[in-house]
Amino acid sequence: MNTTSSYIYLALEWVTRFAYLNFLWVMFSLLGGILFGFYPATTSMFAVCREWLKGNTDLPLFQSFWGFYKKDFLKSNLLGVFVSVFLLFIVLDIFYIQASPAQQLNWSYAPLFAFMLIFTLFLFYLFPAFVHYDIKIPSVIKNAFFLMLVNPAATAVIILCLVSLFFIMRLLPALAFLFGGSVYAFLTMWMAMYAFNKTHKKASH
């Protein structure tokens, strides 16, 4: 096999991996009735991406995903309760703002928009922190928030990558269906692990 063929084979192999991981994420979310399946499936997807980034690219995908799903089913749903409560609060506030007359929209809503932004940035680190550290939920939340605060450069790169991904998938919606979740998880986990390692090195000096 020549070099060009090797690169093509490797590229197709990774395309298949991402598509299969995305499929498992959707199927296992449905397996839990979405309500109880989404968060375990999401943390499992991040856990698989973490293994890939550690160099374990040949792990059996289905067995690994199912193992993570079973192991963290209750813990990830506890995390999901926390996330869902805040998301519900944000959605209700958005509906309230939309229902308000245009002339009433003023700077009093600035704290809400700031909170929404901070919570979104915090979510970038929440699932990676969940799968990276073997700690309890309150500590996961605290670590994710701390990492978000001290790693603005990594956060900026995540935003840049995700904005680029959004526009690509907006042009080609089929890509979002095939790879949306898995590519998002991989990119976020990649930068989050960079932030974890950087923070650990600073703490050790």
Coordinates of all heavy atoms in Angstrom, one line a residue, residues 53 121 124-126 128-129 132-133 143-158 187-203:
L53 N -7.9 10.4 22.2 CA -6.9 11.4 22.3 C -5.7 11.0 23.2 O -4.6 11.5 23.0 CB -7.6 12.7 23.0 CG -8.5 13.5 22.0 CD1 -9.4 14.4 22.9 CD2 -7.7 14.3 21.0
L121 N -20.0 28.7 28.2 CA -18.6 28.4 28.2 C -18.3 27.4 29.3 O -17.4 26.5 29.1 CB -17.8 29.7 28.6 CG -18.0 30.9 27.6 CD1 -17.2 32.1 28.0 CD2 -17.6 30.5 26.2
F124 N -18.6 23.8 28.1 CA -17.5 23.3 27.3 C -16.6 22.4 28.1 O -15.9 21.5 27.6 CB -16.6 24.4 26.7 CG -17.3 25.3 25.6 CD1 -16.9 26.6 25.3 CD2 -18.4 24.7 24.9 CE1 -17.6 27.3 24.4 CE2 -19.0 25.5 23.9 CZ -18.6 26.8 23.6
Y125 N -16.5 22.7 29.4 CA -15.6 22.0 30.3 C -16.3 21.0 31.2 O -15.6 20.1 31.7 CB -14.8 23.0 31.1 CG -13.8 23.8 30.4 CD1 -14.3 25.1 29.9 CD2 -12.6 23.4 30.0 CE1 -13.4 25.9 29.2 CE2 -11.7 24.2 29.3 CZ -12.1 25.5 28.9 OH -11.3 26.3 28.1
L126 N -17.6 21.0 31.3 CA -18.3 20.2 32.2 C -18.2 18.7 31.9 O -17.8 17.9 32.7 CB -19.8 20.6 32.3 CG -20.6 19.9 33.4 CD1 -20.0 20.2 34.8 CD2 -22.1 20.4 33.3
P128 N -16.1 17.2 29.6 CA -14.7 16.7 29.7 C -14.2 16.5 31.1 O -13.5 15.5 31.4 CB -14.0 17.8 29.0 CG -15.0 18.4 28.0 CD -16.3 18.4 28.8
A129 N -14.6 17.4 32.0 CA -14.2 17.2 33.4 C -14.8 16.0 34.1 O -14.2 15.3 34.9 CB -14.5 18.5 34.2
H132 N -12.9 13.0 32.7 CA -11.4 13.1 33.0 C -11.1 12.8 34.4 O -10.0 12.3 34.7 CB -10.9 14.4 32.6 CG -9.4 14.5 32.5 ND1 -8.7 13.9 31.5 CD2 -8.5 15.1 33.3 CE1 -7.4 14.1 31.6 NE2 -7.2 14.9 32.7
Y133 N -11.9 13.3 35.3 CA -11.7 13.2 36.8 C -12.6 12.2 37.4 O -13.8 12.2 37.2 CB -11.8 14.5 37.5 CG -10.9 15.6 37.0 CD1 -11.3 16.6 36.2 CD2 -9.5 15.5 37.3 CE1 -10.5 17.6 35.7 CE2 -8.6 16.5 36.8 CZ -9.1 17.5 36.0 OH -8.3 18.5 35.5
N143 N -14.6 22.1 39.4 CA -13.4 22.0 38.5 C -13.6 22.6 37.2 O -12.8 23.3 36.6 CB -12.9 20.5 38.4 CG -12.1 20.1 39.6 OD1 -12.1 20.7 40.7 ND2 -11.5 19.0 39.5
A144 N -14.8 22.2 36.6 CA -15.2 22.7 35.3 C -15.2 24.3 35.3 O -14.7 24.9 34.3 CB -16.5 22.1 34.8
F145 N -15.8 24.8 36.3 CA -15.9 26.3 36.4 C -14.6 26.9 36.5 O -14.3 27.9 35.9 CB -16.9 26.7 37.5 CG -17.2 28.1 37.6 CD1 -18.1 28.7 36.7 CD2 -16.6 29.0 38.5 CE1 -18.4 30.0 36.7 CE2 -16.9 30.3 38.5 CZ -17.8 30.9 37.6
F146 N -13.7 26.3 37.4 CA -12.4 26.9 37.6 C -11.6 26.8 36.3 O -10.9 27.8 35.9 CB -11.7 26.1 38.7 CG -10.2 26.4 38.8 CD1 -9.8 27.6 39.4 CD2 -9.3 25.5 38.4 CE1 -8.5 27.9 39.6 CE2 -7.9 25.8 38.5 CZ -7.5 27.0 39.1
L147 N -11.7 25.7 35.6 CA -10.9 25.5 34.3 C -11.4 26.5 33.3 O -10.6 27.0 32.5 CB -11.0 24.1 33.8 CG -10.3 23.0 34.7 CD1 -10.8 21.6 34.4 CD2 -8.8 23.1 34.4
M148 N -12.7 26.8 33.2 CA -13.2 27.7 32.3 C -12.6 29.1 32.6 O -12.3 29.9 31.7 CB -14.7 27.8 32.4 CG -15.4 28.7 31.4 SD -15.8 30.3 32.2 CE -16.9 29.9 33.5
L149 N -12.5 29.5 33.9 CA -12.0 30.8 34.2 C -10.5 31.0 33.9 O -10.1 32.1 33.5 CB -12.2 31.0 35.7 CG -13.7 31.2 36.2 CD1 -13.7 31.4 37.7 CD2 -14.3 32.4 35.5
V150 N -9.7 29.9 34.1 CA -8.3 30.1 34.0 C -7.7 29.7 32.6 O -6.5 29.8 32.4 CB -7.5 29.3 35.1 CG1 -8.0 29.7 36.5 CG2 -7.7 27.8 34.9
N151 N -8.6 29.3 31.7 CA -8.1 29.0 30.4 C -8.8 29.7 29.2 O -9.5 29.1 28.4 CB -8.3 27.5 30.2 CG -7.3 26.7 31.0 OD1 -6.1 26.6 30.7 ND2 -7.8 26.1 32.1
P152 N -8.8 31.0 29.2 CA -9.5 31.8 28.2 C -9.0 31.5 26.8 O -9.8 31.5 25.8 CB -9.2 33.3 28.6 CG -7.9 33.2 29.4 CD -8.0 31.9 30.1
A153 N -7.7 31.2 26.6 CA -7.2 30.9 25.3 C -7.8 29.6 24.7 O -8.2 29.5 23.6 CB -5.6 30.8 25.3
A154 N -7.8 28.5 25.6 CA -8.4 27.3 25.1 C -9.9 27.5 24.8 O -10.4 26.9 23.9 CB -8.2 26.2 26.2
T155 N -10.6 28.3 25.6 CA -12.0 28.5 25.4 C -12.2 29.2 24.1 O -13.1 28.9 23.3 CB -12.6 29.4 26.5 OG1 -12.4 28.7 27.8 CG2 -14.1 29.6 26.3
A156 N -11.3 30.2 23.8 CA -11.4 30.9 22.5 C -11.2 30.0 21.3 O -11.9 30.1 20.3 CB -10.4 32.0 22.5
V157 N -10.3 29.0 21.4 CA -10.0 28.1 20.4 C -11.3 27.2 20.2 O -11.7 26.8 19.0 CB -8.8 27.2 20.6 CG1 -8.6 26.1 19.6 CG2 -7.5 28.1 20.6
I158 N -11.9 26.7 21.3 CA -13.1 25.9 21.2 C -14.2 26.7 20.5 O -14.8 26.1 19.6 CB -13.6 25.5 22.6 CG1 -12.6 24.6 23.3 CG2 -15.0 24.9 22.5 CD1 -12.9 24.2 24.8
L187 N -13.6 17.8 19.4 CA -12.9 19.1 19.4 C -12.9 19.7 20.8 O -11.9 20.2 21.3 CB -13.6 20.0 18.5 CG -13.5 19.7 17.0 CD1 -14.4 20.6 16.2 CD2 -12.0 19.8 16.5
T188 N -14.0 19.5 21.5 CA -14.1 20.1 22.9 C -13.2 19.3 23.8 O -12.5 19.9 24.7 CB -15.6 20.1 23.4 OG1 -16.4 20.7 22.4 CG2 -15.7 20.8 24.7
M189 N -13.2 18.0 23.7 CA -12.4 17.2 24.6 C -10.9 17.4 24.3 O -10.1 17.5 25.3 CB -12.7 15.7 24.4 CG -12.2 14.8 25.4 SD -13.0 14.9 27.0 CE -11.6 15.0 28.1
W190 N -10.6 17.6 23.1 CA -9.2 17.9 22.7 C -8.7 19.2 23.4 O -7.6 19.1 24.0 CB -9.1 18.0 21.2 CG -7.8 18.5 20.6 CD1 -6.6 18.1 21.0 CD2 -7.7 19.5 19.6 NE1 -5.6 18.8 20.2 CE2 -6.3 19.7 19.4 CE3 -8.5 20.3 18.9 CZ2 -5.8 20.6 18.5 CZ3 -8.0 21.2 18.0 CH2 -6.7 21.3 17.8
M191 N -9.4 20.3 23.3 CA -9.0 21.5 23.9 C -9.1 21.5 25.4 O -8.3 22.1 26.1 CB -9.8 22.7 23.3 CG -9.4 23.1 21.9 SD -7.6 23.2 21.7 CE -7.1 24.5 22.9
A192 N -10.1 20.8 25.9 CA -10.2 20.7 27.4 C -9.0 19.9 28.0 O -8.5 20.3 29.0 CB -11.5 20.0 27.7
M193 N -8.6 18.8 27.3 CA -7.5 18.1 27.8 C -6.2 18.9 27.8 O -5.3 18.8 28.7 CB -7.3 16.8 27.0 CG -8.3 15.7 27.3 SD -8.1 14.2 26.5 CE -6.6 13.6 27.3
Y194 N -6.1 19.8 26.8 CA -5.0 20.7 26.7 C -5.0 21.6 27.9 O -4.0 21.9 28.6 CB -5.0 21.5 25.4 CG -4.1 22.7 25.4 CD1 -2.7 22.6 25.1 CD2 -4.6 24.0 25.7 CE1 -1.9 23.7 25.2 CE2 -3.7 25.1 25.7 CZ -2.4 24.9 25.4 OH -1.6 26.0 25.5
A195 N -6.2 22.1 28.2 CA -6.4 23.0 29.4 C -6.1 22.3 30.7 O -5.5 22.8 31.6 CB -7.8 23.6 29.4
F196 N -6.6 21.0 30.8 CA -6.3 20.2 32.0 C -4.8 20.1 32.2 O -4.3 20.3 33.3 CB -6.9 18.8 31.9 CG -8.4 18.8 31.7 CD1 -9.0 17.7 31.1 CD2 -9.2 19.8 32.2 CE1 -10.4 17.7 31.0 CE2 -10.6 19.8 32.1 CZ -11.2 18.7 31.5
N197 N -4.1 19.7 31.2 CA -2.6 19.5 31.3 C -1.9 20.7 31.6 O -1.0 20.7 32.4 CB -2.1 18.9 30.0 CG -2.6 17.5 29.7 OD1 -3.0 16.7 30.7 ND2 -2.7 17.1 28.5
K198 N -2.3 21.8 31.0 CA -1.7 23.1 31.2 C -1.9 23.6 32.7 O -0.9 24.0 33.4 CB -2.2 24.2 30.3 CG -1.6 25.6 30.4 CD -2.3 26.5 29.4 CE -1.8 27.9 29.7 NZ -2.4 28.9 28.7
T199 N -3.1 23.4 33.2 CA -3.4 23.8 34.6 C -2.6 22.9 35.6 O -2.1 23.4 36.6 CB -4.9 23.6 34.8 OG1 -5.6 24.5 33.9 CG2 -5.3 24.1 36.2
H200 N -2.5 21.6 35.3 CA -1.8 20.7 36.2 C -0.3 21.1 36.2 O 0.3 21.0 37.3 CB -2.0 19.3 35.7 CG -3.3 18.7 35.9 ND1 -3.8 17.6 35.2 CD2 -4.4 19.2 36.6 CE1 -5.1 17.4 35.5 NE2 -5.4 18.4 36.4
K201 N 0.3 21.4 35.1 CA 1.7 21.8 35.1 C 1.9 23.1 35.9 O 2.9 23.2 36.6 CB 2.1 22.0 33.6 CG 2.3 20.7 32.8 CD 2.7 21.0 31.4 CE 2.9 19.7 30.6 NZ 3.2 20.0 29.2
K202 N 1.0 24.0 35.8 CA 1.1 25.3 36.5 C 1.0 25.0 38.0 O 1.8 25.5 38.9 CB 0.0 26.3 36.1 CG 0.3 27.0 34.8 CD -0.8 28.0 34.6 CE -0.6 28.7 33.3 NZ -1.7 29.7 33.0
A203 N 0.1 24.1 38.4 CA -0.1 23.7 39.8 C 1.1 23.0 40.4 O 1.3 23.1 41.6 CB -1.4 22.9 39.9

